Amino acid sequence: MKICVCVKHVPDTAATIKIDGETGFKDSEIKFVVNPYDEYGVEEAVKLKEKNGGEVVIVTVGKPEAAATIRSALAMGADRAILVTTDSQFLDASLTAKALRSAMEKDGLPDLIFTGKGSVDTESFQTQYRLAHSLGIPVVNEVSTLSVDGKKAVAELEVGGGDKQVIEMGLPCVIGATKGLNEPRYPKFPDIMKAKKKKIDEMTLADLGLDASAQGVTLEKLEPVPERTGAKMIEGSVEEQVTELIRILKQDEKVL
Amino acid sequence: MASTGILIETENGAVKETSLGVMTAAADQEIIALVTDTDPAGLKDKLAEYGAAKIVKLTAAGKDVSASPDLAARALAAVVEKYGLTALLGTASTTGKDLFARLAAIMDQPMVSDCVALDIQAKTAKKSHFSGKTFATLKVDAAVFLATVRPNAIEAKASAGAGEIEAFSADVTDPGLVTIKEVKKGDAGKIDLTEAPVIITGGRAIKAAENYKMLEDCAAKMGAAVGASRAAVDAGYAPHSMQVGQTGKTVSPKLYIACGVSGAVQHFAGMKTSKVIVAINEDKDAPIFAKCDYGIVGDIFDVVPVLTEKL
């Protein structure tokens, strides 16, 4: 079984984003990682390979620096990778999906595709759907339990209010992974060394016949979310503190 | 005037408050409210009060569209064409996000997920980038503006509409790609975290799963949902479905009360856009106090029961 895992190169969630100009950010000063949700996809793919044999290919659309992030995914046990290079962190979901599809078609379509449920940078939650639709295959997102046999996949996902749906679909399909699916492994030193020798095929959007200027969504402005400057501390005995808190929430803030 | 479709979500036969907020986002447009799962007659007064010119009961060839997410998405695409909509908005709930992503893929149109503000005329939307650390303003180049709105991000305001009811049976079929085999019901009557107007969250200091009962009692007095921090989930005190923050749920309630939550960046990623944040923590140096609105230094097991009693 050939499994492709779409991995995005994103700033570490603990990194401070320093805005640069209207739409840029200082990406050379911060650490980038495998998008946390994609890690669940990598882990699940590697586990399936360990059980059934086959091959796990990482597919990334991102800046050339994404190669370092891809090495982390390879250290988790993936076999090789494809990197479609762009010069922007903010390629829209439609174009990203087209690039992922073209890269996979060129390499030979897989039997199963994993993505994360979304990326923690642009949070647009749709690339996996566009990829699946263009391939004419099923997609299910926010999957926390999965079983795969030769012909079908059964996925469990939360649908709100604690309810869960069990969904069956044929292969190939796209699975958007989320927390609960597995515990992503921490690569050991020998795995990290081995990953350095694994192959990363690089190509550009243009090599795939795609044009970065053809995007439906443009980033006009990036601005920091206003930070709160520190709490107003409520003093006194527990009784007094609670009475004052309720007064504030009801009268001043009108949220109760 | 240009028409905007709003996909209405309901609960127990009533319009969800979050859907009224989405209607308010389109107050300058002619609003067509789309109802899929409920008899529209019972929703008419509320939807008209919040500006619906038309209320359309949507079916797929006369049948319920919710049989499959792909069927529902195809039915929505048919509505866009039938009514010549220039925008279609929904709630960024679990199902809303899924449905709009499917719709955007089918229509091959851009879509902005989880907006906190939008301008339909200008086709711009504001949404979180980098896990709640920045806001991005996105410009959409599309014939039809598709977007989902973060629950509670836009406050609902009444604005009268005619509220004429009609039915539309979309001539679409399910492509049969996915089959819903089973729905496992969670705790009945639980308020959905992502849509709750008030949330009370327990962190590591909750110490045991059974202690969430204390928060549930308090939540019941406020019509609130109960959340958990990652630390509490990882310690096995609460299920992942209750987790707020990075790798959990993103919420934006009017009031967020964090009990015994230290306040990691990843937690803030999931609740930073809440209107008012209150923290109760034993440690006066807990990072959460630097980034919330009101703080009480104290043991949650002393403070919360008094809060429950006085509410």
Side-chain angles (χ1 to χ4, degrees), chain B residues 66-138:
Chain B
S66 64
S68 126
D70 290 319
L71 181 66
R74 278 164 174 74
L76 282 178
V79 164
V80 170
E81 198 176 335
K82 156 93 177 170
Y83 291 93
L85 301 180
T86 51
L88 178 58
L89 311 179
T91 312
S93 59
T94 314
T95 42
K97 276 198 283 192
D98 181 73
L99 195 51
F100 272 70
R102 288 177 197 273
L103 173 67
I106 291 168
M107 293 181 63
D108 195 20
Q109 289 282 310
M111 189 273 292
V112 186
S113 183
D114 208 16
C115 306
V116 294
L118 50 90
D119 183 335
I120 296 172
Q121 212 80 33
K123 290 189 178 164
T124 57
K126 192 169 166 181
K127 65 162 299 184
S128 160
H129 265 32
F130 302 116
S131 318
K133 282 179 244 165
T134 66
F135 278 135
T137 302
L138 303 174

Coordinates of all heavy atoms in Angstrom, one line a residue, chain B residues 66-138:
Chain B
S66 N -29.4 15.8 5.1 CA -28.4 15.4 6.1 C -28.0 14.0 6.0 O -27.1 13.5 6.8 CB -28.8 15.8 7.5 OG -30.0 15.0 7.8
A67 N -28.6 13.2 5.1 CA -28.2 11.8 4.9 C -26.7 11.6 4.7 O -26.1 10.7 5.1 CB -29.0 11.2 3.8
S68 N -26.1 12.6 4.0 CA -24.7 12.6 3.7 C -24.1 14.0 3.6 O -24.8 14.9 3.0 CB -24.4 11.7 2.5 OG -23.6 12.5 1.5
P69 N -22.9 14.3 4.0 CA -22.4 15.6 3.9 C -22.2 16.0 2.5 O -22.4 17.2 2.1 CB -21.0 15.5 4.7 CG -20.7 14.1 4.7 CD -22.0 13.3 4.8
D70 N -21.9 15.1 1.6 CA -21.7 15.4 0.2 C -23.0 15.8 -0.5 O -23.1 16.7 -1.3 CB -21.1 14.2 -0.6 CG -19.6 14.0 -0.2 OD1 -18.9 15.0 0.0 OD2 -19.2 12.8 -0.1
L71 N -24.1 15.2 0.0 CA -25.4 15.5 -0.5 C -25.8 16.9 -0.1 O -26.3 17.7 -0.9 CB -26.5 14.4 0.0 CG -27.9 14.6 -0.5 CD1 -28.0 14.4 -2.0 CD2 -28.9 13.7 0.2
A72 N -25.6 17.2 1.2 CA -26.0 18.5 1.7 C -25.2 19.6 0.9 O -25.7 20.7 0.6 CB -25.7 18.6 3.2
A73 N -23.9 19.4 0.7 CA -23.1 20.3 0.0 C -23.6 20.6 -1.4 O -23.6 21.7 -1.9 CB -21.6 19.9 0.0
R74 N -24.0 19.5 -2.1 CA -24.5 19.6 -3.5 C -25.9 20.4 -3.5 O -26.1 21.2 -4.4 CB -24.7 18.2 -4.1 CG -23.4 17.7 -4.7 CD -23.4 16.3 -5.0 NE -22.1 15.9 -5.7 CZ -20.9 15.8 -5.1 NH1 -20.8 16.1 -3.8 NH2 -19.9 15.5 -5.8
A75 N -26.7 20.1 -2.5 CA -27.9 20.9 -2.4 C -27.7 22.4 -2.2 O -28.4 23.2 -2.8 CB -28.8 20.3 -1.2
L76 N -26.7 22.7 -1.4 CA -26.4 24.1 -1.1 C -25.9 24.8 -2.4 O -26.2 25.9 -2.7 CB -25.3 24.3 -0.1 CG -25.8 24.1 1.4 CD1 -24.6 24.2 2.3 CD2 -26.8 25.2 1.7
A77 N -25.0 24.0 -3.2 CA -24.6 24.6 -4.5 C -25.7 24.8 -5.4 O -25.7 25.9 -6.1 CB -23.6 23.6 -5.1
A78 N -26.8 24.0 -5.3 CA -28.0 24.2 -6.2 C -28.7 25.4 -5.7 O -29.3 26.2 -6.6 CB -28.8 23.0 -6.1
V79 N -28.7 25.7 -4.4 CA -29.4 26.9 -3.9 C -28.8 28.2 -4.4 O -29.4 29.1 -4.8 CB -29.4 26.9 -2.3 CG1 -29.8 28.2 -1.8 CG2 -30.4 25.8 -1.8
V80 N -27.4 28.2 -4.4 CA -26.7 29.3 -4.9 C -27.1 29.7 -6.3 O -27.4 30.8 -6.6 CB -25.2 29.0 -4.8 CG1 -24.4 30.2 -5.5 CG2 -24.7 28.9 -3.4
E81 N -27.2 28.7 -7.1 CA -27.6 28.9 -8.5 C -29.1 29.3 -8.6 O -29.4 30.3 -9.3 CB -27.4 27.6 -9.3 CG -27.3 27.8 -10.8 CD -27.0 26.5 -11.5 OE1 -26.4 25.6 -10.9 OE2 -27.4 26.4 -12.7
K82 N -29.9 28.6 -8.0 CA -31.4 28.9 -8.1 C -31.7 30.3 -7.7 O -32.5 31.0 -8.3 CB -32.1 27.9 -7.2 CG -33.5 28.3 -6.7 CD -34.6 27.8 -7.6 CE -35.9 28.2 -7.0 NZ -37.0 28.0 -7.9
Y83 N -31.1 30.8 -6.6 CA -31.5 32.1 -6.1 C -30.5 33.2 -6.5 O -30.6 34.3 -6.0 CB -31.6 32.1 -4.5 CG -32.8 31.3 -4.1 CD1 -32.8 30.0 -3.8 CD2 -34.1 31.9 -4.0 CE1 -33.9 29.2 -3.4 CE2 -35.2 31.2 -3.7 CZ -35.1 29.8 -3.4 OH -36.2 29.1 -3.0
G84 N -29.5 32.8 -7.3 CA -28.5 33.8 -7.8 C -27.8 34.5 -6.6 O -27.6 35.7 -6.6
L85 N -27.4 33.7 -5.6 CA -26.8 34.3 -4.4 C -25.4 34.8 -4.7 O -24.7 34.2 -5.5 CB -26.7 33.2 -3.3 CG -27.9 32.5 -2.8 CD1 -27.6 31.5 -1.7 CD2 -28.9 33.5 -2.3
T86 N -25.1 36.0 -4.1 CA -23.7 36.5 -4.3 C -22.9 36.2 -3.1 O -21.7 36.4 -3.1 CB -23.7 38.0 -4.5 OG1 -24.5 38.6 -3.4 CG2 -24.4 38.4 -5.8
A87 N -23.5 35.7 -2.0 CA -22.8 35.2 -0.8 C -23.6 34.1 -0.1 O -24.8 34.1 -0.2 CB -22.5 36.4 0.1
L88 N -22.9 33.2 0.5 CA -23.5 32.2 1.3 C -22.7 32.0 2.6 O -21.5 31.7 2.5 CB -23.6 30.8 0.5 CG -24.2 29.6 1.2 CD1 -25.6 29.9 1.7 CD2 -24.3 28.4 0.3
L89 N -23.3 32.2 3.7 CA -22.6 32.1 5.0 C -23.2 31.0 5.9 O -24.4 30.7 5.9 CB -22.7 33.5 5.7 CG -22.4 34.7 5.0 CD1 -22.6 35.9 5.9 CD2 -21.0 34.7 4.4
G90 N -22.3 30.5 6.7 CA -22.7 29.5 7.7 C -22.0 29.7 9.0 O -21.2 30.7 9.1
T91 N -22.2 28.9 10.0 CA -21.5 28.9 11.3 C -20.3 28.0 11.2 O -20.4 26.9 10.7 CB -22.5 28.4 12.4 OG1 -23.8 29.0 12.2 CG2 -21.9 28.7 13.7
A92 N -19.2 28.5 11.8 CA -18.0 27.6 11.8 C -18.1 26.6 13.0 O -17.2 26.5 13.8 CB -16.8 28.5 12.0
S93 N -19.2 25.9 13.0 CA -19.4 24.8 13.9 C -18.7 23.5 13.3 O -18.2 23.6 12.1 CB -20.9 24.5 14.1 OG -21.4 24.1 12.8
T94 N -18.7 22.4 14.0 CA -18.0 21.2 13.4 C -18.7 20.9 12.1 O -18.0 20.7 11.1 CB -18.1 20.1 14.4 OG1 -17.8 20.5 15.7 CG2 -17.2 18.9 14.0
T95 N -20.0 20.8 12.0 CA -20.6 20.4 10.8 C -20.6 21.6 9.8 O -20.4 21.3 8.6 CB -22.1 20.1 11.0 OG1 -22.7 21.0 11.9 CG2 -22.3 18.7 11.6
G96 N -20.7 22.8 10.2 CA -20.7 23.9 9.3 C -19.3 24.0 8.5 O -19.3 24.2 7.3
K97 N -18.2 23.8 9.3 CA -16.9 23.9 8.7 C -16.7 22.8 7.6 O -16.2 23.0 6.5 CB -15.8 23.8 9.7 CG -15.5 25.1 10.4 CD -14.1 25.0 11.1 CE -14.2 24.3 12.4 NZ -13.0 24.4 13.3
D98 N -17.2 21.6 8.0 CA -17.1 20.5 7.0 C -17.9 20.7 5.8 O -17.4 20.6 4.7 CB -17.6 19.2 7.8 CG -17.5 18.0 7.0 OD1 -16.4 17.5 6.8 OD2 -18.6 17.5 6.5
L99 N -19.2 21.2 6.0 CA -20.1 21.4 4.9 C -19.6 22.5 3.9 O -19.6 22.3 2.7 CB -21.4 21.8 5.4 CG -22.6 21.7 4.6 CD1 -22.7 20.3 3.9 CD2 -23.9 21.9 5.4
F100 N -19.1 23.6 4.5 CA -18.7 24.7 3.6 C -17.4 24.3 2.9 O -17.2 24.8 1.7 CB -18.5 26.0 4.4 CG -19.8 26.7 4.4 CD1 -20.9 26.3 5.2 CD2 -20.0 27.9 3.7 CE1 -22.1 26.9 5.2 CE2 -21.2 28.6 3.7 CZ -22.3 28.1 4.4
A101 N -16.5 23.5 3.5 CA -15.3 23.1 2.7 C -15.7 22.2 1.6 O -15.1 22.3 0.5 CB -14.4 22.4 3.7
R102 N -16.7 21.3 1.8 CA -17.2 20.5 0.7 C -17.8 21.3 -0.4 O -17.5 21.1 -1.6 CB -18.2 19.4 1.2 CG -17.6 18.4 2.0 CD -18.6 17.4 2.6 NE -18.0 16.6 3.7 CZ -17.2 15.5 3.6 NH1 -17.1 15.0 2.4 NH2 -16.7 14.9 4.6
L103 N -18.6 22.3 0.0 CA -19.3 23.2 -0.9 C -18.3 24.0 -1.8 O -18.4 24.0 -3.0 CB -20.2 24.1 -0.1 CG -20.9 25.3 -0.9 CD1 -21.9 24.7 -1.9 CD2 -21.5 26.3 0.0
A104 N -17.3 24.5 -1.1 CA -16.3 25.3 -1.8 C -15.5 24.5 -2.8 O -15.2 24.9 -3.9 CB -15.3 25.9 -0.8
A105 N -15.2 23.2 -2.5 CA -14.5 22.3 -3.4 C -15.4 22.0 -4.6 O -15.0 22.1 -5.8 CB -14.1 21.0 -2.7
I106 N -16.7 21.7 -4.4 CA -17.6 21.4 -5.5 C -17.8 22.6 -6.4 O -17.7 22.5 -7.6 CB -19.0 21.1 -4.9 CG1 -19.0 19.7 -4.2 CG2 -20.1 21.0 -6.0 CD1 -20.2 19.5 -3.4
M107 N -17.9 23.8 -5.8 CA -18.1 25.0 -6.6 C -16.8 25.6 -7.2 O -16.8 26.5 -8.0 CB -18.8 26.1 -5.8 CG -20.2 25.8 -5.4 SD -21.0 27.1 -4.4 CE -21.0 28.4 -5.6
D108 N -15.7 25.1 -6.7 CA -14.4 25.6 -7.1 C -14.3 27.1 -6.9 O -13.9 27.8 -7.7 CB -14.0 25.2 -8.5 CG -12.5 25.3 -8.8 OD1 -11.8 25.4 -7.8 OD2 -12.2 25.5 -10.0
Q109 N -14.8 27.5 -5.7 CA -14.7 28.9 -5.3 C -13.9 29.1 -4.0 O -13.9 28.1 -3.2 CB -16.2 29.4 -5.0 CG -17.1 29.5 -6.2 CD -16.8 30.8 -7.0 OE1 -16.7 31.9 -6.5 NE2 -16.6 30.6 -8.3
P110 N -13.3 30.2 -3.8 CA -12.6 30.4 -2.6 C -13.6 30.4 -1.4 O -14.8 30.7 -1.6 CB -12.0 31.8 -2.7 CG -12.1 32.2 -4.1 CD -13.2 31.4 -4.7
M111 N -13.1 30.1 -0.2 CA -14.0 30.1 1.0 C -13.1 30.5 2.2 O -12.0 30.0 2.3 CB -14.5 28.7 1.2 CG -15.6 28.5 2.2 SD -15.0 28.2 3.9 CE -14.3 26.6 3.7
V112 N -13.7 31.3 3.0 CA -12.9 31.7 4.2 C -13.6 31.1 5.4 O -14.8 31.3 5.7 CB -12.9 33.2 4.4 CG1 -12.0 33.6 5.6 CG2 -12.4 33.9 3.1
S113 N -12.8 30.3 6.2 CA -13.4 29.5 7.3 C -13.2 30.3 8.6 O -12.1 30.9 8.8 CB -12.6 28.2 7.4 OG -13.1 27.4 8.4
D114 N -14.2 30.3 9.5 CA -14.0 30.8 10.8 C -13.7 32.3 10.9 O -12.8 32.7 11.7 CB -12.9 29.9 11.5 CG -13.1 29.9 13.0 OD1 -14.2 30.2 13.5 OD2 -12.1 29.5 13.7
C115 N -14.4 33.1 10.2 CA -14.2 34.6 10.2 C -14.7 35.2 11.5 O -15.7 34.7 12.1 CB -15.1 35.3 9.1 SG -14.8 34.6 7.5
V116 N -14.1 36.2 12.0 CA -14.6 37.0 13.1 C -15.3 38.2 12.7 O -16.0 38.9 13.5 CB -13.5 37.3 14.2 CG1 -12.9 36.0 14.8 CG2 -12.3 38.1 13.6
A117 N -15.0 38.7 11.4 CA -15.7 39.8 10.9 C -15.7 39.7 9.4 O -14.8 39.1 8.8 CB -15.0 41.1 11.3
L118 N -16.7 40.2 8.7 CA -16.6 40.2 7.3 C -17.4 41.3 6.6 O -18.3 41.9 7.2 CB -17.1 38.9 6.7 CG -18.4 38.2 7.2 CD1 -19.5 38.7 6.3 CD2 -18.2 36.7 7.1
D119 N -17.0 41.7 5.4 CA -17.7 42.7 4.7 C -18.1 42.1 3.3 O -17.2 41.9 2.4 CB -16.7 43.9 4.5 CG -17.4 45.1 3.7 OD1 -18.3 44.9 3.0 OD2 -16.9 46.2 3.9
I120 N -19.4 41.8 3.2 CA -19.8 41.1 2.0 C -19.7 42.0 0.7 O -19.2 41.5 -0.3 CB -21.3 40.7 2.2 CG1 -21.4 39.7 3.3 CG2 -21.9 40.0 0.9 CD1 -22.8 39.3 3.7
Q121 N -20.0 43.2 0.8 CA -19.8 44.2 -0.3 C -18.4 44.2 -0.8 O -18.1 44.0 -2.0 CB -20.2 45.6 0.2 CG -20.8 46.4 -0.8 CD -22.3 46.1 -1.0 OE1 -23.0 45.7 0.0 NE2 -22.8 46.2 -2.2
A122 N -17.4 44.4 0.1 CA -16.0 44.5 -0.3 C -15.4 43.1 -0.5 O -14.3 43.0 -1.0 CB -15.3 45.3 0.8
K123 N -16.1 42.0 -0.1 CA -15.6 40.7 -0.2 C -14.3 40.5 0.6 O -13.3 40.0 0.1 CB -15.4 40.2 -1.6 CG -16.7 40.0 -2.3 CD -16.6 39.4 -3.7 CE -18.0 39.1 -4.3 NZ -18.0 38.9 -5.7
T124 N -14.3 41.0 1.8 CA -13.1 40.9 2.7 C -13.6 40.2 4.0 O -14.8 40.3 4.4 CB -12.5 42.2 3.1 OG1 -13.4 43.0 3.7 CG2 -11.9 42.9 1.9
A125 N -12.7 39.4 4.6 CA -13.0 38.7 5.8 C -11.8 38.8 6.7 O -10.7 38.8 6.3 CB -13.4 37.3 5.5
K126 N -12.1 38.9 8.0 CA -11.0 38.9 9.0 C -11.1 37.6 9.8 O -12.1 37.1 10.2 CB -11.3 40.1 10.0 CG -10.1 40.4 10.9 CD -10.4 41.8 11.5 CE -9.5 42.0 12.7 NZ -9.8 43.3 13.3
K127 N -9.9 36.9 9.9 CA -9.9 35.7 10.6 C -8.5 35.4 11.3 O -7.6 36.1 11.0 CB -10.2 34.5 9.7 CG -9.1 34.3 8.6 CD -9.2 32.9 8.0 CE -9.0 32.0 9.1 NZ -9.0 30.6 8.8
S128 N -8.5 34.5 12.2 CA -7.3 34.2 12.9 C -6.2 33.5 12.0 O -6.6 32.7 11.2 CB -7.6 33.3 14.1 OG -6.5 32.6 14.6
H129 N -5.0 33.9 12.2 CA -3.9 33.2 11.6 C -2.9 32.9 12.7 O -2.8 33.7 13.7 CB -3.2 34.1 10.6 CG -3.6 33.9 9.1 ND1 -4.9 33.5 8.8 CD2 -3.0 34.0 8.0 CE1 -5.0 33.4 7.5 NE2 -3.9 33.6 7.0
F130 N -2.1 31.9 12.6 CA -1.1 31.5 13.6 C -1.7 31.3 15.0 O -1.3 32.0 16.0 CB 0.0 32.6 13.7 CG 0.7 32.8 12.4 CD1 0.7 34.0 11.7 CD2 1.4 31.8 11.8 CE1 1.3 34.2 10.5 CE2 2.1 31.9 10.6 CZ 2.0 33.1 10.0
S131 N -2.7 30.5 15.1 CA -3.3 30.0 16.3 C -3.7 31.2 17.2 O -3.3 31.2 18.4 CB -2.3 29.1 17.1 OG -1.7 28.3 16.2
G132 N -4.4 32.1 16.7 CA -4.9 33.2 17.5 C -3.9 34.3 17.8 O -4.2 35.2 18.6
K133 N -2.7 34.2 17.3 CA -1.8 35.3 17.6 C -1.9 36.5 16.7 O -1.6 37.6 17.0 CB -0.3 34.7 17.4 CG 0.0 33.9 18.7 CD 1.4 33.4 18.5 CE 1.3 31.9 18.5 NZ 2.3 31.1 18.1
T134 N -2.4 36.3 15.4 CA -2.6 37.4 14.5 C -4.0 37.3 13.9 O -4.6 36.2 13.8 CB -1.6 37.4 13.4 OG1 -1.7 36.3 12.6 CG2 -0.1 37.4 13.9
F135 N -4.5 38.4 13.4 CA -5.7 38.5 12.6 C -5.2 38.8 11.1 O -4.3 39.6 10.9 CB -6.6 39.6 13.0 CG -7.5 39.3 14.1 CD1 -7.7 40.2 15.2 CD2 -8.2 38.1 14.2 CE1 -8.5 39.9 16.2 CE2 -9.0 37.8 15.3 CZ -9.2 38.7 16.3
A136 N -5.8 38.0 10.2 CA -5.5 38.3 8.8 C -6.7 38.9 8.1 O -7.8 38.4 8.4 CB -5.1 37.0 8.1
T137 N -6.6 39.9 7.3 CA -7.7 40.3 6.5 C -7.5 39.8 5.1 O -6.4 40.0 4.5 CB -7.7 41.9 6.4 OG1 -7.8 42.3 7.8 CG2 -8.9 42.4 5.6
L138 N -8.4 39.0 4.7 CA -8.3 38.3 3.4 C -9.3 38.9 2.4 O -10.5 39.2 2.7 CB -8.6 36.8 3.5 CG -7.8 36.1 4.5 CD1 -8.3 34.6 4.7 CD2 -6.3 36.0 4.1

